Structure formats: structure tokens, C-alpha cells
Amino acid sequence: MARESKGSLMTVRDDVRVLDATLRDGGLVNNFYFDDDFVRALYVMNVAAGVDYMEFGYRASRDIFDSDRYGKWKFSDDDDIRAVVGENCTDLKIAVMADVGRTNFKRDILPKNESPVDMIRVATYVNTLPSAIEMIEDAKKKGYETTVNVMAVSKVGREDLKHGLEILAQSGVDVIYLVDSFGAFYPEQIHRLMDDYLEIGDKFGKTIGIHAHNNQQLAFANTIEALRLGASFLDATVCGMGRGAGNCYLESLLSFLKNPKYNMIPLMKFIEKYMLELKNKEKWGFDIPYLLTGVLNSHPSAAIKFTKDGRKDYSQFYQDILDDIG
């Protein structure tokens, strides 16, 4: 039986946590080359706006990724985070993302008492769940909060996904995220999926989150649909900055939530001073190529290349995607 709404449009839910993923997902737009002034201002804004978590980027391995090709937030070293947050004597918590197979977690993730980071977010596919669980348990032993982002679930059968979620839920992970990697889902599909996620979350005492992409201009709609049903952790980025079509807009989300702890004024000032200029230099957000990959449930990499190449032959691009998935 489908779930009823948890709360209403006018309800303040104490379980809701907002995570700003601008540095991490937005870093996929500019190879993580954010200058220090931008990062510090983003941190100060998040504190003033009452945002609950700020994701500082990836904790990627330099054995795999050439540090000369990426900005520092591809690696999010503890010392670089400390240079921004100091001892972080605020209510805002600090997160980093660790990809399965791309992070030397035993070496590069220190015990929590030696790090400014509060939360490790593990990103995985269904077929790499054993490795994800190893990373989760390592982070838990080191004292961190943990989440797991199960990516590309639009390509996974429902029964396989439910089985994977059952396995994950028996680990020490705190939050399990529904991720719409390709921006392919509609709110009705999010509703059905959240039923499955929340059922397993209830069974094993896990919190559920949502990370949405905006290929079909549905990231905000899908986020609030998940929230309505009971998701507690909500990801967003300033001006929707993120790979390709981007993400749920932080400004839309904070405007929707009725919790008085969230303050829009610092966010508006940050957008005025930093994001308008950045949007003139970098390109992200809804566009026809991303719509087509979202509708066809395809990875946005082809659309990103199409856009970078300055192509406008949308009908041919549409046919190319159909050929690839046919």
C-alpha cells in the first residue's frame, strides 16, 4: 500500500536535513577549480543560511587522479578543509564523498578525531555493494556519520534494487540515498521507489535521502515528492550547479521548507556576488541535450560532449542516442 504524506505543506519536520553539494557536484562542471574566496564565502553562507551539511568535494585518490588536472576539491584534503572552516565551531557539519574504487579510504580517511570532516558519503553502483559496505564499516569504525548513494538505479530492476538495499541496510550506514543519476525519473516513479526505500529504512532503522538531477527540470519536484513521503536528507546545490543539467536548486528547496532556521538572505547575497559571475564563465543547467538523455535514461556524458562541441543538431543527436540504446 502506498504511503501517505509525512507532514503537510505547512509542517516543520525536525528530521529534515539539507545538504549543499555545490562544491562536489558543481566541481564536475569546472574540474573543482574553485578559488579559496568562493569556497570560504560558500561555507559562511551555508552557516548563516542554516544549512545542515556542506559537502566539500571528493576524497579521491591521487594514485588514480592526476592532481595537476583537478582543483583541490577533487581530493578535499583535511588541511585544505581546515584552512576554510578552522575548528568549525558551528552547527554546520562537513561532508566529503568517497567513490568506490576511486578512494584509498584506509590511507586517506583518517580517524574522525584527527579530521574536520563529520560525514563520509560513499558512492556506489549496485554491483559494487560489497566494496561500498567495506568502506562504510571502515568510516563507522573511525567515528564518522555515513551515507551511501546508490547510483544509476534507473538502470536496475526493482527486485535487484530491493535486494541490494536489504544488504546495505544491514550494514552500519546511517543514511541510504535514492539517486536519480540520469535525471530520468518522474515524481510518480520517485513515489514508487521511495515506498521501497522507506520500507527497508523502517525495517532496519535507516534514514532515507534523495539526490536528484535536473535533466527534465524535475529535480526539485522529485525532491519534494521524496520529502513528502518521508525522505529526511535532501541534497541541493546553489543555482542548481552540477554536472550537465545540474541538481535541485538550493534556493528553491530552502524557500519550500517552512523551518524558520533556514534563512534565504545570505543565500541571495551569495548568488548576487558569486554565482552570477560564475554562470557567465561555466555552463550547466537544463538544455535540450540533457532533456534527451534524461528522457531516454542515458548517461549525460554524450550530452555534455554535444554541448561542449557547440552542436545544435538536436534531431541527429536524438537519433544517435536511440541507436546507442537500441
Side-chain angles (χ1 to χ4, degrees):
M1 185 174 66
R3 288 172 178 265
E4 296 182 358
S5 297
K6 186 175 181 179
S8 71
L9 285 173
M10 299 307 296
T11 301
V12 173
R13 277 177 41 198
D14 292 336
D15 62 303
V16 169
R17 301 290 182 269
V18 173
L19 183 143
D20 170 32
T22 305
L23 276 191
R24 203 272 307 165
D25 219 318
L28 297 168
V29 175
N30 65 355
N31 277 350
F32 304 91
Y33 283 110
F34 296 102
D35 64 39
D36 292 348
D37 180 52
F38 178 94
V39 176
R40 190 167 292 106
L42 181 63
Y43 166 73
V44 170
M45 179 279 291
N46 276 311
V47 171
V51 172
D52 301 285
Y53 290 81
M54 177 176 168
E55 190 175 40
F56 266 73
Y58 286 99
R59 183 62 58 88
S61 172
R62 285 185 169 84
D63 299 331
I64 300 172
F65 296 96
D66 184 353
S67 57
D68 291 333
R69 296 183 58 189
Y70 297 94
K72 67 177 73 172
W73 306 109
K74 178 73 172 179
F75 310 99
S76 301
D77 292 336
D78 286 339
D79 288 344
D80 288 328
I81 296 174
R82 277 199 189 90
V84 175
V85 308
E87 295 302 316
N88 187 33
C89 299
T90 75
D91 292 332
L92 177 72
K93 292 186 177 182
I94 306 301
V96 296
M97 180 166 279
D99 271 348
V100 167
R102 298 179 177 182
T103 301
N104 190 332
F105 61 94
K106 293 182 179 178
R107 180 192 68 193
D108 294 337
I109 297 177
L110 301 177
K112 170 67 189 78
N113 60 10
E114 301 176 29
S115 171
V117 174
D118 301 289
M119 172 184 281
I120 303 298
R121 285 158 54 88
V122 175
T124 183
Y125 295 99
V126 167
N127 64 346
T128 55
L129 288 183
S131 295
I133 290 170
E134 181 186 17
M135 294 173 67
I136 289 164
E137 300 301 353
D138 179 80
K140 291 297 292 183
K141 288 178 183 177
K142 290 174 178 174
Y144 294 96
E145 297 177 42
T146 56
T147 76
V148 60
N149 285 32
V150 185
M151 301 181 291
V153 296
S154 58
K155 295 287 191 179
V156 180
R158 186 176 184 183
E159 290 306 312
D160 287 341
L161 177 59
K162 289 177 72 173
H163 180 63
L165 293 175
E166 286 262 356
I167 294 171
L168 270 177
Q170 294 175 65
S171 74
V173 72
D174 299 302
V175 185
I176 300 173
Y177 267 85
L178 167 58
V179 182
D180 185 8
S181 298
F182 302 155
F185 289 135
Y186 298 101
E188 183 178 347
Q189 294 167 297
I190 292 292
H191 190 133
R192 291 198 298 268
L193 284 162
M194 287 306 301
D195 281 344
D196 293 340
Y197 277 70
L198 289 162
E199 180 182 349
I200 289 170
D202 291 344
K203 179 179 177 181
F204 292 96
K206 304 299 181 182
T207 300
I208 303 301
I210 175 80
H211 180 93
H213 284 258
N214 206 36
N215 297 63
Q216 300 184 78
Q217 300 196 88
L218 290 171
F220 175 56
N222 286 338
T223 297
I224 62 175
E225 175 67 4
L227 167 69
R228 183 179 73 81
L229 294 169
S232 300
F233 272 66
L234 313 175
D235 285 10
T237 62
V238 181
C239 292
M241 186 180 186
R243 181 196 65 190
N247 302 83
C248 176
Y249 281 57
L250 182 63
E251 49 271 34
S252 297
L253 184 59
L254 294 190
S255 297
F256 177 83
L257 296 172
K258 299 302 185 288
N259 194 327
K261 79 172 184 176
Y262 297 125
N263 185 349
M264 289 289 290
I265 299 300
L267 177 54
M268 294 298 101
K269 289 183 177 179
F270 179 82
I271 291 171
E272 291 172 14
K273 185 172 181 180
Y274 293 95
M275 297 305 293
L276 297 180
E277 179 182 354
L278 185 59
K279 290 183 76 173
N280 287 331
K281 295 194 305 184
E282 305 289 351
K283 184 172 177 58
W284 73 86
F286 173 79
D287 202 352
I288 297 299
Y290 302 123
L291 168 67
L292 296 178
T293 57
V295 167
L296 295 173
N297 192 19
S298 297
H299 196 285
S301 57
I304 292 170
K305 184 178 187 305
F306 180 96
T307 302
K308 285 184 177 179
D309 290 346
R311 290 174 57 187
K312 300 296 181 185
D313 52 332
Y314 301 128
S315 60
Q316 183 59 54
F317 180 62
Y318 184 56
Q319 291 295 332
D320 291 343
I321 304 172
L322 287 172
D323 289 342
D324 288 341
I325 65 178

PDB file of all heavy atoms in Angstrom, residues 243-263:
ATOM      1  N   ARG A 243      26.884  18.628 -12.573  1.00  0.00           N
ATOM      2  CA  ARG A 243      27.224  18.011 -13.845  1.00  0.00           C
ATOM      3  C   ARG A 243      26.057  18.096 -14.831  1.00  0.00           C
ATOM      4  O   ARG A 243      24.923  17.733 -14.519  1.00  0.00           O
ATOM      5  CB  ARG A 243      27.569  16.537 -13.622  1.00  0.00           C
ATOM      6  CG  ARG A 243      27.966  15.764 -14.864  1.00  0.00           C
ATOM      7  CD  ARG A 243      27.912  14.277 -14.607  1.00  0.00           C
ATOM      8  NE  ARG A 243      26.541  13.843 -14.347  1.00  0.00           N
ATOM      9  CZ  ARG A 243      26.199  12.642 -13.902  1.00  0.00           C
ATOM     10  NH1 ARG A 243      27.127  11.756 -13.622  1.00  0.00           N
ATOM     11  NH2 ARG A 243      24.930  12.319 -13.718  1.00  0.00           N
ATOM     12  N   GLY A 244      26.339  18.574 -16.028  1.00  0.00           N
ATOM     13  CA  GLY A 244      25.318  18.598 -17.068  1.00  0.00           C
ATOM     14  C   GLY A 244      24.146  19.485 -16.702  1.00  0.00           C
ATOM     15  O   GLY A 244      24.269  20.700 -16.540  1.00  0.00           O
ATOM     16  N   ALA A 245      22.971  18.869 -16.563  1.00  0.00           N
ATOM     17  CA  ALA A 245      21.756  19.624 -16.258  1.00  0.00           C
ATOM     18  C   ALA A 245      21.715  20.137 -14.830  1.00  0.00           C
ATOM     19  O   ALA A 245      20.868  20.964 -14.481  1.00  0.00           O
ATOM     20  CB  ALA A 245      20.532  18.752 -16.529  1.00  0.00           C
ATOM     21  N   GLY A 246      22.601  19.664 -13.986  1.00  0.00           N
ATOM     22  CA  GLY A 246      22.644  20.155 -12.620  1.00  0.00           C
ATOM     23  C   GLY A 246      21.670  19.450 -11.701  1.00  0.00           C
ATOM     24  O   GLY A 246      21.155  18.371 -12.006  1.00  0.00           O
ATOM     25  N   ASN A 247      21.399  20.081 -10.577  1.00  0.00           N
ATOM     26  CA  ASN A 247      20.709  19.454  -9.454  1.00  0.00           C
ATOM     27  C   ASN A 247      19.497  20.256  -9.003  1.00  0.00           C
ATOM     28  O   ASN A 247      19.178  21.291  -9.576  1.00  0.00           O
ATOM     29  CB  ASN A 247      21.691  19.303  -8.288  1.00  0.00           C
ATOM     30  CG  ASN A 247      22.913  18.495  -8.653  1.00  0.00           C
ATOM     31  OD1 ASN A 247      23.866  19.022  -9.220  1.00  0.00           O
ATOM     32  ND2 ASN A 247      22.883  17.220  -8.360  1.00  0.00           N
ATOM     33  N   CYS A 248      18.889  19.793  -7.939  1.00  0.00           N
ATOM     34  CA  CYS A 248      17.851  20.564  -7.269  1.00  0.00           C
ATOM     35  C   CYS A 248      18.444  21.882  -6.782  1.00  0.00           C
ATOM     36  O   CYS A 248      19.522  21.906  -6.192  1.00  0.00           O
ATOM     37  CB  CYS A 248      17.300  19.757  -6.091  1.00  0.00           C
ATOM     38  SG  CYS A 248      16.072  20.634  -5.103  1.00  0.00           S
ATOM     39  N   TYR A 249      17.736  22.992  -7.040  1.00  0.00           N
ATOM     40  CA  TYR A 249      18.220  24.311  -6.629  1.00  0.00           C
ATOM     41  C   TYR A 249      18.090  24.458  -5.116  1.00  0.00           C
ATOM     42  O   TYR A 249      16.999  24.282  -4.559  1.00  0.00           O
ATOM     43  CB  TYR A 249      17.409  25.409  -7.311  1.00  0.00           C
ATOM     44  CG  TYR A 249      17.787  25.697  -8.743  1.00  0.00           C
ATOM     45  CD1 TYR A 249      17.759  24.695  -9.711  1.00  0.00           C
ATOM     46  CD2 TYR A 249      18.176  26.966  -9.136  1.00  0.00           C
ATOM     47  CE1 TYR A 249      18.099  24.964 -11.033  1.00  0.00           C
ATOM     48  CE2 TYR A 249      18.518  27.260 -10.448  1.00  0.00           C
ATOM     49  CZ  TYR A 249      18.477  26.242 -11.396  1.00  0.00           C
ATOM     50  OH  TYR A 249      18.814  26.509 -12.691  1.00  0.00           O
ATOM     51  N   LEU A 250      19.180  24.843  -4.478  1.00  0.00           N
ATOM     52  CA  LEU A 250      19.145  25.069  -3.033  1.00  0.00           C
ATOM     53  C   LEU A 250      18.167  26.174  -2.683  1.00  0.00           C
ATOM     54  O   LEU A 250      17.440  26.078  -1.677  1.00  0.00           O
ATOM     55  CB  LEU A 250      20.550  25.416  -2.520  1.00  0.00           C
ATOM     56  CG  LEU A 250      20.679  25.644  -1.019  1.00  0.00           C
ATOM     57  CD1 LEU A 250      20.345  24.384  -0.232  1.00  0.00           C
ATOM     58  CD2 LEU A 250      22.086  26.131  -0.666  1.00  0.00           C
ATOM     59  N   GLU A 251      18.120  27.214  -3.497  1.00  0.00           N
ATOM     60  CA  GLU A 251      17.236  28.333  -3.202  1.00  0.00           C
ATOM     61  C   GLU A 251      15.762  27.918  -3.300  1.00  0.00           C
ATOM     62  O   GLU A 251      14.918  28.403  -2.534  1.00  0.00           O
ATOM     63  CB  GLU A 251      17.536  29.538  -4.098  1.00  0.00           C
ATOM     64  CG  GLU A 251      17.648  29.255  -5.572  1.00  0.00           C
ATOM     65  CD  GLU A 251      19.060  28.881  -6.039  1.00  0.00           C
ATOM     66  OE1 GLU A 251      19.796  28.240  -5.270  1.00  0.00           O
ATOM     67  OE2 GLU A 251      19.371  29.228  -7.189  1.00  0.00           O
ATOM     68  N   SER A 252      15.445  27.017  -4.228  1.00  0.00           N
ATOM     69  CA  SER A 252      14.071  26.506  -4.321  1.00  0.00           C
ATOM     70  C   SER A 252      13.719  25.679  -3.091  1.00  0.00           C
ATOM     71  O   SER A 252      12.627  25.803  -2.526  1.00  0.00           O
ATOM     72  CB  SER A 252      13.902  25.655  -5.583  1.00  0.00           C
ATOM     73  OG  SER A 252      14.102  26.414  -6.747  1.00  0.00           O
ATOM     74  N   LEU A 253      14.663  24.831  -2.677  1.00  0.00           N
ATOM     75  CA  LEU A 253      14.402  23.939  -1.561  1.00  0.00           C
ATOM     76  C   LEU A 253      14.227  24.702  -0.254  1.00  0.00           C
ATOM     77  O   LEU A 253      13.276  24.454   0.502  1.00  0.00           O
ATOM     78  CB  LEU A 253      15.534  22.912  -1.438  1.00  0.00           C
ATOM     79  CG  LEU A 253      15.367  21.846  -0.368  1.00  0.00           C
ATOM     80  CD1 LEU A 253      14.098  21.035  -0.596  1.00  0.00           C
ATOM     81  CD2 LEU A 253      16.592  20.934  -0.338  1.00  0.00           C
ATOM     82  N   LEU A 254      15.140  25.636   0.035  1.00  0.00           N
ATOM     83  CA  LEU A 254      15.019  26.393   1.279  1.00  0.00           C
ATOM     84  C   LEU A 254      13.756  27.247   1.280  1.00  0.00           C
ATOM     85  O   LEU A 254      13.145  27.459   2.340  1.00  0.00           O
ATOM     86  CB  LEU A 254      16.248  27.272   1.499  1.00  0.00           C
ATOM     87  CG  LEU A 254      17.577  26.553   1.752  1.00  0.00           C
ATOM     88  CD1 LEU A 254      18.633  27.558   2.202  1.00  0.00           C
ATOM     89  CD2 LEU A 254      17.440  25.429   2.771  1.00  0.00           C
ATOM     90  N   SER A 255      13.363  27.732   0.106  1.00  0.00           N
ATOM     91  CA  SER A 255      12.128  28.513   0.024  1.00  0.00           C
ATOM     92  C   SER A 255      10.910  27.652   0.327  1.00  0.00           C
ATOM     93  O   SER A 255       9.930  28.124   0.911  1.00  0.00           O
ATOM     94  CB  SER A 255      11.974  29.120  -1.375  1.00  0.00           C
ATOM     95  OG  SER A 255      13.010  30.022  -1.654  1.00  0.00           O
ATOM     96  N   PHE A 256      10.955  26.381  -0.078  1.00  0.00           N
ATOM     97  CA  PHE A 256       9.829  25.475   0.116  1.00  0.00           C
ATOM     98  C   PHE A 256       9.694  25.032   1.563  1.00  0.00           C
ATOM     99  O   PHE A 256       8.593  24.948   2.092  1.00  0.00           O
ATOM    100  CB  PHE A 256      10.003  24.253  -0.786  1.00  0.00           C
ATOM    101  CG  PHE A 256       8.932  23.219  -0.622  1.00  0.00           C
ATOM    102  CD1 PHE A 256       7.723  23.350  -1.276  1.00  0.00           C
ATOM    103  CD2 PHE A 256       9.135  22.112   0.191  1.00  0.00           C
ATOM    104  CE1 PHE A 256       6.725  22.397  -1.128  1.00  0.00           C
ATOM    105  CE2 PHE A 256       8.141  21.151   0.351  1.00  0.00           C
ATOM    106  CZ  PHE A 256       6.928  21.296  -0.305  1.00  0.00           C
ATOM    107  N   LEU A 257      10.819  24.764   2.210  1.00  0.00           N
ATOM    108  CA  LEU A 257      10.779  24.275   3.592  1.00  0.00           C
ATOM    109  C   LEU A 257      10.327  25.393   4.524  1.00  0.00           C
ATOM    110  O   LEU A 257      10.720  26.540   4.379  1.00  0.00           O
ATOM    111  CB  LEU A 257      12.160  23.765   4.004  1.00  0.00           C
ATOM    112  CG  LEU A 257      12.671  22.552   3.214  1.00  0.00           C
ATOM    113  CD1 LEU A 257      14.128  22.261   3.566  1.00  0.00           C
ATOM    114  CD2 LEU A 257      11.802  21.318   3.467  1.00  0.00           C
ATOM    115  N   LYS A 258       9.526  25.042   5.480  1.00  0.00           N
ATOM    116  CA  LYS A 258       8.926  26.055   6.352  1.00  0.00           C
ATOM    117  C   LYS A 258       9.680  26.228   7.671  1.00  0.00           C
ATOM    118  O   LYS A 258       9.231  26.948   8.552  1.00  0.00           O
ATOM    119  CB  LYS A 258       7.456  25.689   6.649  1.00  0.00           C
ATOM    120  CG  LYS A 258       6.589  25.619   5.398  1.00  0.00           C
ATOM    121  CD  LYS A 258       6.598  26.929   4.632  1.00  0.00           C
ATOM    122  CE  LYS A 258       5.644  26.913   3.454  1.00  0.00           C
ATOM    123  NZ  LYS A 258       6.141  26.056   2.340  1.00  0.00           N
ATOM    124  N   ASN A 259      10.816  25.568   7.804  1.00  0.00           N
ATOM    125  CA  ASN A 259      11.577  25.658   9.042  1.00  0.00           C
ATOM    126  C   ASN A 259      12.209  27.051   9.165  1.00  0.00           C
ATOM    127  O   ASN A 259      12.992  27.460   8.298  1.00  0.00           O
ATOM    128  CB  ASN A 259      12.666  24.581   9.049  1.00  0.00           C
ATOM    129  CG  ASN A 259      13.267  24.385  10.420  1.00  0.00           C
ATOM    130  OD1 ASN A 259      13.381  25.334  11.197  1.00  0.00           O
ATOM    131  ND2 ASN A 259      13.651  23.162  10.728  1.00  0.00           N
ATOM    132  N   PRO A 260      11.905  27.790  10.216  1.00  0.00           N
ATOM    133  CA  PRO A 260      12.446  29.150  10.338  1.00  0.00           C
ATOM    134  C   PRO A 260      13.951  29.207  10.532  1.00  0.00           C
ATOM    135  O   PRO A 260      14.525  30.295  10.446  1.00  0.00           O
ATOM    136  CB  PRO A 260      11.709  29.706  11.570  1.00  0.00           C
ATOM    137  CG  PRO A 260      11.252  28.506  12.324  1.00  0.00           C
ATOM    138  CD  PRO A 260      10.983  27.443  11.308  1.00  0.00           C
ATOM    139  N   LYS A 261      14.591  28.048  10.750  1.00  0.00           N
ATOM    140  CA  LYS A 261      16.052  28.096  10.900  1.00  0.00           C
ATOM    141  C   LYS A 261      16.740  28.372   9.568  1.00  0.00           C
ATOM    142  O   LYS A 261      17.904  28.798   9.547  1.00  0.00           O
ATOM    143  CB  LYS A 261      16.585  26.796  11.497  1.00  0.00           C
ATOM    144  CG  LYS A 261      16.709  25.643  10.530  1.00  0.00           C
ATOM    145  CD  LYS A 261      17.427  24.471  11.190  1.00  0.00           C
ATOM    146  CE  LYS A 261      17.651  23.329  10.207  1.00  0.00           C
ATOM    147  NZ  LYS A 261      18.432  22.238  10.804  1.00  0.00           N
ATOM    148  N   TYR A 262      16.058  28.141   8.445  1.00  0.00           N
ATOM    149  CA  TYR A 262      16.658  28.389   7.139  1.00  0.00           C
ATOM    150  C   TYR A 262      16.423  29.847   6.748  1.00  0.00           C
ATOM    151  O   TYR A 262      15.297  30.353   6.790  1.00  0.00           O
ATOM    152  CB  TYR A 262      16.078  27.450   6.085  1.00  0.00           C
ATOM    153  CG  TYR A 262      16.370  25.995   6.353  1.00  0.00           C
ATOM    154  CD1 TYR A 262      15.345  25.054   6.434  1.00  0.00           C
ATOM    155  CD2 TYR A 262      17.678  25.554   6.548  1.00  0.00           C
ATOM    156  CE1 TYR A 262      15.606  23.719   6.686  1.00  0.00           C
ATOM    157  CE2 TYR A 262      17.947  24.220   6.814  1.00  0.00           C
ATOM    158  CZ  TYR A 262      16.920  23.311   6.880  1.00  0.00           C
ATOM    159  OH  TYR A 262      17.190  21.989   7.142  1.00  0.00           O
ATOM    160  N   ASN A 263      17.498  30.515   6.350  1.00  0.00           N
ATOM    161  CA  ASN A 263      17.488  31.957   6.081  1.00  0.00           C
ATOM    162  C   ASN A 263      17.904  32.199   4.632  1.00  0.00           C
ATOM    163  O   ASN A 263      19.039  31.892   4.242  1.00  0.00           O
ATOM    164  CB  ASN A 263      18.447  32.663   7.042  1.00  0.00           C
ATOM    165  CG  ASN A 263      18.399  34.170   6.918  1.00  0.00           C
ATOM    166  OD1 ASN A 263      17.818  34.724   5.990  1.00  0.00           O
ATOM    167  ND2 ASN A 263      19.023  34.856   7.869  1.00  0.00           N
TER     168      ASN A 263
END
